[in-house]
Amino acid sequence: MSLLAGKMGIVFGVANKRSIAWAIAQAWHSAGAKLAFTYQGQRLKENVEELAGAFGPDTLILPCDVTKDDEIAAVFKTVGDKFGKLNLLLHAVAFAPKDALEGEFVNTSREAFRIAHDVSAYSLVALARAAAPLMLDGGSIVAMSYYGAEKVVPHYNVMGVAKASLEASTRYLAYDLGPKKIRVNCISAGPVNTLAARGIGGFNEMLKHYEAHAPLKRNVLPEELGATGLFLVSDGAAAITGQVLYVDCGYQIMGM
Ligand code: NAP
């Protein structure tokens, strides 16, 4: 089944093989999409080259710190030159200074608040704006969120506030880009053991808590996020935009 045959996509946020971005990229690639990848800084270059290289030697792999407008412009210039168009974009990027994810939210510094929102929320706006002119026959943008956007999750702190901004940005982008047949949605994933997740205080307790309390009595698997990522960019989701889709083994419905 080649749901995405002939589609061109770009993936932001692969750090290593545990990354949610990698699970979704694999699903998109298996469905026939041709993908470009970005990495932040030299440290991750090798990882991304090793993983994405498996998709063929000519896979586009480009540097991009999403807080840098010139790097974003360079990425989309290259993608435009090489692909000629774009159909899919995955935003799986987030960051907050570590001390902001440990103590009390009330102590969040102005700088930690700014950084968390710049990297984790504003970047979606910047990437969508740069991608839209290349989405000539419409497109689909997917961003990764978490339940801490909606409810208080201890330790998630400023990242929850940034995810709320990401989800609201998704709705406003969906409104602006809808007439261009570009859909914008979020996947709100249950906890997955990744590099970014390990920066959140008490993350192992979070995994145990979900296992005990989610209706399905387990945690979500990366390949399940890949499958949802594929669904959201496929024609099966053609009338879905501006939504936050919970992929968390049902945890979000629980009141107690
Ligand atoms: P991950 O593998 O660590 O991926 C996070 C990525 O964001 C890394 O590649 C990281 O690069 C990148 N990044 C951070 N700052 C950046 C910047 N300024 N420019 C470009 N890239 C930058 O962790 P993940 O868990 O898969 O995270 C992917 C997304 O899923 C995030 O939005 C996260 O909030 C979301 N999410 C995760 C979970 C979970 O439990 N894991 C649950 C719900 C939602 P560096 O390593 O260089 O910083």
Side-chain angles (χ1 to χ4, degrees), residues 12-16 18-21 38-41 43-44 64-67 91-95 119-120 144-147 156 159 163 166 187-197 200 203 206:
F12 292 81
V14 174
N16 57 38
R18 287 171 179 264
S19 296
I20 292 172
T38 67
Y39 60 89
Q40 185 204 196
R43 190 172 51 84
L44 292 183
C64 187
D65 176 340
V66 297
T67 63
H91 177 287
V93 168
F95 178 78
V119 178
S120 318
M144 296 304 307
S145 193
Y146 177 62
Y147 185 54
Y156 203 63
M159 190 52 80
K163 290 298 190 194
L166 179 80
I187 294 174
S188 183
V192 179
N193 195 356
T194 62
L195 206 59
I200 300 159
F203 179 72
M206 205 187 268

Side-chain angles (χ1 to χ4, degrees), residues 3-256:
L3 278 180
L4 303 183
K7 306 277 189 199
M8 308 292 196
I10 185 162
V11 174
F12 292 81
V14 174
N16 57 38
K17 65 178 190 322
R18 287 171 179 264
S19 296
I20 292 172
W22 180 236
I24 295 177
Q26 284 177 292
W28 286 4
H29 173 77
S30 300
K34 186 173 170 62
L35 300 179
F37 291 84
T38 67
Y39 60 89
Q40 185 204 196
Q42 282 305 117
R43 190 172 51 84
L44 292 183
K45 187 171 186 241
E46 265 177 43
N47 280 0
V48 179
E49 279 175 350
E50 201 180 314
L51 288 170
F55 292 173
D58 61 341
T59 303
L60 260 188
I61 303 172
L62 305 165
C64 187
D65 176 340
V66 297
T67 63
K68 307 249 166 70
D69 287 332
D70 54 338
E71 293 191 17
I72 292 174
V75 162
F76 285 95
K77 166 88 175 64
T78 308
V79 167
D81 290 347
K82 302 270 181 188
F83 286 181
K85 64 163 191 170
L86 193 64
N87 306 97
L88 324 168
L89 185 152
L90 177 65
H91 177 287
V93 168
F95 178 78
K98 192 162 171 47
D99 54 355
L101 300 174
E102 287 170 345
E104 295 182 343
F105 173 70
V106 71
N107 291 325
T108 307
S109 68
R110 189 183 298 275
E111 186 60 0
F113 192 97
R114 186 195 66 73
I115 292 171
H117 283 73
D118 190 7
V119 178
S120 318
Y122 179 74
S123 58
L124 178 67
V125 183
L127 297 186
R129 187 169 59 242
L134 293 175
M135 293 187 158
L136 302 168
D137 15 285
S140 183
I141 297 174
V142 176
M144 296 304 307
S145 193
Y146 177 62
Y147 185 54
E150 180 189 330
K151 291 282 156 82
V152 173
V153 175
H155 307 298
Y156 203 63
N157 295 359
V158 71
M159 190 52 80
V161 182
K163 290 298 190 194
S165 169
L166 179 80
E167 292 182 5
S169 300
T170 295
R171 292 185 281 274
Y172 280 91
L173 289 169
Y175 175 72
D176 280 357
L177 300 178
K180 297 189 164 93
K181 298 193 178 66
I182 299 171
R183 300 184 293 106
V184 192
N185 291 289
C186 279
I187 294 174
S188 183
V192 179
N193 195 356
T194 62
L195 206 59
R198 285 198 290 273
I200 300 159
F203 179 72
N204 286 335
E205 280 66 50
M206 205 187 268
L207 286 174
K208 286 187 203 139
H209 185 83
Y210 270 69
E211 213 172 289
H213 297 282
L216 297 181
K217 301 292 173 216
R218 64 177 180 86
N219 279 291
V220 64
L221 301 170
E223 54 268 33
E224 292 170 330
L225 295 170
T228 306
L230 174 57
F231 162 69
L232 271 180
V233 300
S234 72
D235 286 347
I240 300 178
T241 194
Q243 296 299 317
V244 178
L245 187 56
Y246 279 84
V247 186
D248 63 350
C249 297
Y251 184 84
Q252 188 259 352
I253 65 167
M254 300 305 295
M256 199 177 144

